[in-house]
Amino acid sequence: MQPEILMVGPMLPQTMQSLEQTYTVHRLWEAPDKPALLAQVGPRIRGIATTGSVGARTEIMAALPRLEVIAVFGVGVDAVDLAQARARGIALSTTPEVLTEDVADLALALMLSVSRRIVQYDAYIRSGQWPKSGEPPLTHKVSRKKAGILGLGRVGKALAQRLAALDMEVSYYDLNPAPELPYRQADSPLELAQHSDYFIVTAAGGAATRKLVNQEILQAIGPQGYLVNVSRGSIVDEEALVAALKSGALAGAGLDVFASEPHPDPALLEMENVVLQPHMASGTLETRTAMGQLVLANLAAHFAGKPLLTPYVW
Ligand code: 8YV
């Protein structure tokens, strides 16, 4: 008898295909009546497969009395009811390491894109402006500027290496200092912002970091400064961000994540001083394939009575 799995949100097609070859899978996001599906199959569900952005909300987990394991396609667990998982002894796996490089790469790409106006000047050519208006306004140098990384986890460390290669002055703020690394440790997120031309958010999402990047932080980054976010939209006060971008209190932003996905604040869509991505930091074929393989391997290990390959570290 194949274990029955609830897939809460879509993931890489080949991963979903493999899951459906191995388990009896119920696709929650496709159900016309989600509560009815949970009531019908919930008592039989032993595992959840989900993504970092979709997670496993309280009410979904509570509808699954036999839930044993949650396999997250991603590293963010802020959308999982961790307290319930821990209290019920539900195993939890994520897909660390395999996505670190891509997320750090996209953070760098956003820094370069927003400063050097890559998107805007591509459009400048495509719209026929170049022969009419000649050279567009000058942009801003990234190399040798000051970078502040909020959250020095796997992604933050990988990004710091990249920025050091651009001869940037790298600072960070993290609750777990890394004195062995050659980067300046800021005393607070505010002090980090005060010493940053580029303030990059790589910290984990969740209650502890909700709206951590507020108006005060944005003002401290300043009118020549840029915000980049490749972690979670919840970490930034998006209303304050829009106001800072509109007023010129902040020079620009590179955003891969938003307070409400897939519906960013419409004001952001009108702005020339932002570069936007649809939560694609881990979105390469190579990385998403590796993430999917880890979801499959973790579920297989659990149902074989073996330890998870990449358990979430509580
Ligand atoms: C998501 C992410 O998994 O790692 C995370 O938590 O945010 C992404 O990689 C994304 O939702 C993948 O579909």
Side-chain angles (χ1 to χ4, degrees):
M1 180 77 168
Q2 288 181 330
E4 296 201 40
I5 300 287
L6 183 73
M7 207 188 306
V8 182
M11 53 190 72
L12 193 69
Q14 48 263 50
T15 303
M16 295 195 289
Q17 185 180 21
S18 298
L19 283 168
E20 282 161 345
Q21 288 167 351
T22 311
Y23 305 102
T24 299
V25 176
H26 304 280
R27 296 185 172 201
L28 183 60
W29 78 97
E30 291 182 348
D33 184 341
K34 293 177 177 56
L37 177 68
L38 290 173
Q40 180 194 352
V41 306
R44 305 196 304 269
I45 298 292
R46 294 177 59 194
I48 282 179
T50 188
T51 65
S53 35
V54 172
R57 300 292 180 186
T58 302
E59 63 281 0
I60 292 173
M61 291 171 62
L64 313 179
R66 290 185 61 202
L67 183 60
E68 304 166 19
V69 59
I70 300 172
V72 176
F73 182 83
V75 285
V77 292
D78 50 304
V80 174
D81 182 344
L82 294 176
Q84 183 178 167
R86 199 164 195 176
R88 292 177 57 186
I90 295 169
L92 176 61
S93 70
T94 63
T95 60
E97 300 299 355
V98 294
L99 54 68
T100 299
E101 292 171 340
D102 275 1
V103 179
D105 288 352
L106 193 77
L108 175 56
L110 287 169
M111 291 170 67
L112 289 165
S113 298
V114 71
S115 299
R116 303 301 302 274
R117 297 178 62 77
I118 303 286
V119 172
Q120 288 78 10
Y121 288 175
D122 176 278
Y124 184 80
I125 294 175
R126 293 174 193 268
S127 66
Q129 280 301 303
W130 194 9
K132 293 176 189 169
S133 310
E135 185 179 277
L138 297 179
T139 64
H140 290 284
K141 187 183 184 75
V142 176
S143 292
R144 303 185 187 279
K145 293 285 182 66
K146 296 195 292 277
I149 298 173
L150 181 66
L152 201 68
R154 292 184 180 92
V155 171
K157 290 185 175 81
L159 177 60
Q161 287 179 326
R162 285 155 175 77
L163 303 185
L166 292 179
D167 296 312
M168 296 188 83
E169 183 187 324
V170 179
S171 301
Y172 74 93
Y173 176 76
D174 195 295
L175 292 175
N176 302 308
E180 74 282 4
L181 297 178
Y183 314 124
R184 190 183 72 87
Q185 180 191 346
D187 297 333
S188 67
L190 180 59
E191 197 260 342
L192 182 69
Q194 291 164 341
H195 288 81
S196 298
D197 298 311
Y198 294 86
F199 189 93
I200 308 103
V201 180
T202 55
T209 56
R210 190 170 307 282
K211 294 192 177 180
L212 178 61
V213 181
N214 57 19
Q215 183 189 31
E216 184 182 31
I217 297 278
L218 295 167
Q219 297 285 344
I221 299 169
Q224 279 77 47
Y226 296 87
L227 173 79
V228 169
N229 191 358
V230 290
S231 181
R232 285 289 184 270
S234 62
I235 301 173
V236 176
D237 179 337
E238 199 164 273
E239 193 175 331
L241 173 60
V242 167
L245 289 165
K246 278 182 176 174
S247 69
L250 189 69
L255 306 171
D256 183 49
V257 287
F258 305 88
S260 173
E261 296 177 8
H263 305 288
D265 186 318
L268 292 170
L269 312 186
E270 306 304 319
M271 294 180 181
E272 272 287 299
N273 56 342
V274 301
V275 174
L276 309 174
Q277 290 290 288
H279 200 146
M280 283 297 284
S282 65
T284 66
L285 179 61
E286 299 86 348
T287 289
R288 291 287 172 86
T289 299
M291 291 164 65
Q293 287 165 348
L294 271 177
V295 166
L296 295 165
N298 277 297
L299 287 172
H302 172 81
F303 289 119
K306 296 176 182 171
L308 297 178
L309 283 75
T310 50
Y312 171 68
V313 180
W314 295 93

